[in-house]
Amino acid sequence: MAKVEVLCCGQVPFRNNPKTMMTQPSKIPHVLSVAGSDSGAGAGIQADLKACASRHVYCSTVITAVTAQNTVGVQGVHILHEHFVAQQLNSVLSDMHVDVVKTGMLPSLGIVKVLCQNLRKFPVKALVVDPVMISTSGDVLAGSSVLAGFREELLPMADIVTPNLKEASVLLGDVPLKSVSDMRAAAKLIHDLGPRNVLVKGGDLPNSLDAIDVFFNGEEFYELCSSRVNTRNTHGTGCTLASCIAAELAKGSSMLSAVKTAKQFIKAALDYSKDLVIGNGAQGPFDHFLALKNVNQSAYRQNRFNPDTLLLYAVTDSTMNRKWGRSIAEAVKAAVEGGATIVQLREKDIETRDFLDVAKVCLKICRSHRVPLLINDRIDVTLACDADGVHIGQSDMPASLARTLLGPEKIIGVSCKTPEQAEQAWVDGADYIGCGGVYPTNTKANRTIGLDGLKDVCQVSKLPVVAIGGIGLSNARAIMEIGVPNLKGVAVVSALFDRECVLTETKNLLAVIS
């Protein structure tokens, strides 16, 4: 029997490799949207362009139809000839190195067929199919003749298909879907049609206090839940969700991570835009660019989490720095110049104003080296200095609340000793876990878990793991060789900062673990 897991979404992956971005040519992730044009710009091609832009991905377009629509509904549809759609497809796919194709409105069987022909001629990394047949306002956008093309040709090529309840029902021959159990059954039946993954969206599920989507990968079911946002501005949510999934896949995310990131983005955008007034109808658009308006921008913003940045995780200690006569900023500068891939400011005996001033200086240093800076425990300092994220312990606020306060773009790490804690961190929306202490340490008098405990947590955790506690040159290699793929690095305090030369010690440790 397939496993069911209930998740509250809040993860945002982070893919920039701080060691290679400046030295290797950068290929921009590229999504091609094949969809209809929405004159009201709430859905269709226009929503796809905005969604990809908000996720920092290039988006090219192939237009299948031009619609006359607004917040009231669809007043007219002009379907483009399949030969011209084929010409657009060939133009983009033959030249522009597309990573992911996302489909929206495919209004004729001929268009479905020319799309499939071009995808066979120009293979891409992933195909995201949003089976747009009925608009949010209830207007029919694709006739029954398209269904055969979906079932026989397009769905077997799809890496994920994202129907809402009405579309899932149509794909299955008008089967009624009224419960989460019905959604799971529908996901299984649609998966049998050929797509590798299925996301049945439950935004219209009656009598549900939460917005629940069901994700099925052929083996496991996941129920992705988020609180509903009370707003009329929901036009284009389906297009945007599928485009966000496509964007995250183009950036290299796993399928489940891409889906969770997209769902979190939709919730954040709806919440930000809930009082927006555009048009007089019942279905208003929402604002895709909340991050540009709701977040203090800096010259360099890291907005996705790359697990590889956990490789050499430097945790500061003011007592050690005072012992060696250096400032926190000097210690951080030496660590990142020596190769630290991520830095956490853990300063327990410093006034808030002073901590904030130090954090701002350290943030400037880290961003000049493209290294994320996290703040230990202090969400207020994280927000005030616009750090890249926060690391919290089991006695701090839950990661789910931290995610609510920080939003979808910040990194959240959680300290864990047990598989149960690791599982909860994932459910709560953390990006990684810090597991330990592995060995005894001078900085904390905590119970140690050893290599066996570390391995147990890693094997259960669905998040990347960084090991912490008593780690240095003598034992770091043994930790990195325990044989679990999601162990991404080691976090160290004394091994770097209780030494005369932080730069040298960082280089030496990096050489051992690399």
Side-chain angles (χ1 to χ4, degrees), residues 182-249:
D182 291 342
M183 292 169 63
R184 288 200 297 268
K188 174 66 171 64
L189 290 172
I190 293 172
H191 186 271
D192 291 342
L193 296 176
R196 294 168 183 81
N197 300 274
V198 180
L199 180 70
V200 178
K201 301 173 294 188
D204 297 324
L205 193 67
N207 304 318
S208 176
L209 297 177
D210 294 322
I212 302 175
D213 301 336
V214 172
F215 175 81
F216 182 59
N217 60 13
E219 296 180 359
E220 295 181 317
F221 289 98
Y222 298 86
E223 293 173 18
L224 309 177
C225 67
S226 62
S227 57
R228 287 186 179 275
V229 178
N230 185 21
T231 179
R232 64 183 278 274
N233 299 321
T234 58
H235 183 51
T237 50
C239 302
T240 301
L241 182 75
S243 293
C244 284
I245 293 171
E248 297 305 314
L249 292 175

Side-chain angles (χ1 to χ4, degrees), residues 11 56 68 80 82 95 116 121 131 161 171 186 231 234 279 287 304 361 375 393-394 396 402 406 478 481:
Q11 288 179 273
H56 312 284
L80 272 68
E82 63 194 61
D95 171 60
C116 293
K121 183 179 179 182
V161 58
L171 286 172
T231 179
T234 58
D287 190 344
R304 295 178 292 148
V361 174
I375 307 297
Q394 290 295 317
D396 299 318
L406 293 174
E481 292 177 348

Side-chain angles (χ1 to χ4, degrees), residues 97-356:
H97 307 290
V98 173
D99 294 303
V100 177
V101 169
K102 176 264 173 184
T103 71
M105 181 181 177
L106 303 176
S108 73
L109 180 60
I111 289 176
V112 173
K113 287 185 175 294
V114 298
L115 171 61
C116 293
Q117 289 167 4
N118 276 271
L119 289 175
R120 284 189 284 267
K121 183 179 179 182
F122 303 104
V124 293
K125 181 190 300 183
L127 171 63
V128 177
V129 174
D130 183 22
V132 177
M133 300 173 185
I134 303 171
S135 72
T136 309
S137 57
D139 297 282
V140 176
L141 300 177
S144 57
S145 63
V146 177
L147 276 176
F150 269 86
R151 291 175 179 146
E152 294 172 12
E153 292 197 61
L154 190 61
L155 292 187
M157 299 179 69
D159 291 274
I160 185 170
V161 58
T162 63
N164 59 29
L165 293 180
K166 293 177 182 177
E167 291 159 350
S169 176
V170 170
L171 286 172
L172 297 175
D174 298 322
V175 174
L177 304 176
K178 298 180 179 180
S179 67
V180 174
S181 178
D182 291 342
M183 292 169 63
R184 288 200 297 268
K188 174 66 171 64
L189 290 172
I190 293 172
H191 186 271
D192 291 342
L193 296 176
R196 294 168 183 81
N197 300 274
V198 180
L199 180 70
V200 178
K201 301 173 294 188
D204 297 324
L205 193 67
N207 304 318
S208 176
L209 297 177
D210 294 322
I212 302 175
D213 301 336
V214 172
F215 175 81
F216 182 59
N217 60 13
E219 296 180 359
E220 295 181 317
F221 289 98
Y222 298 86
E223 293 173 18
L224 309 177
C225 67
S226 62
S227 57
R228 287 186 179 275
V229 178
N230 185 21
T231 179
R232 64 183 278 274
N233 299 321
T234 58
H235 183 51
T237 50
C239 302
T240 301
L241 182 75
S243 293
C244 284
I245 293 171
E248 297 305 314
L249 292 175
K251 292 186 286 190
S253 292
S254 67
M255 184 62 73
L256 181 57
S257 178
V259 170
K260 291 171 68 179
T261 297
K263 186 171 174 65
Q264 177 64 24
F265 175 82
I266 292 292
K267 183 184 183 303
L270 288 175
D271 188 64
Y272 178 75
S273 311
K274 60 186 176 183
D275 298 320
L276 188 68
V277 178
I278 296 178
N280 301 308
Q283 300 288 337
F286 60 93
D287 190 344
H288 292 74
F289 298 115
L290 70 156
L292 298 180
K293 303 169 184 178
N294 203 33
V295 180
N296 179 31
Q297 295 297 294
S298 42
Y300 174 75
R301 168 164 295 283
Q302 296 177 338
N303 49 35
R304 295 178 292 148
F305 178 61
N306 177 6
D308 291 339
T309 60
L310 297 174
L311 179 63
L312 181 47
Y313 188 126
V315 183
T316 67
D317 186 286
S318 55
T319 302
M320 295 175 188
N321 288 323
R322 283 196 300 269
K323 171 183 173 181
W324 293 98
R326 56 180 169 248
S327 68
I328 299 168
E330 288 171 337
V332 168
K333 185 174 185 293
V336 296
E337 288 179 349
T341 54
I342 190 167
V343 174
Q344 179 193 140
L345 292 186
R346 186 172 72 183
E347 303 298 331
K348 300 291 188 179
D349 55 350
I350 188 172
E351 297 294 332
T352 298
R353 184 184 295 273
D354 294 334
F355 193 5
L356 179 58

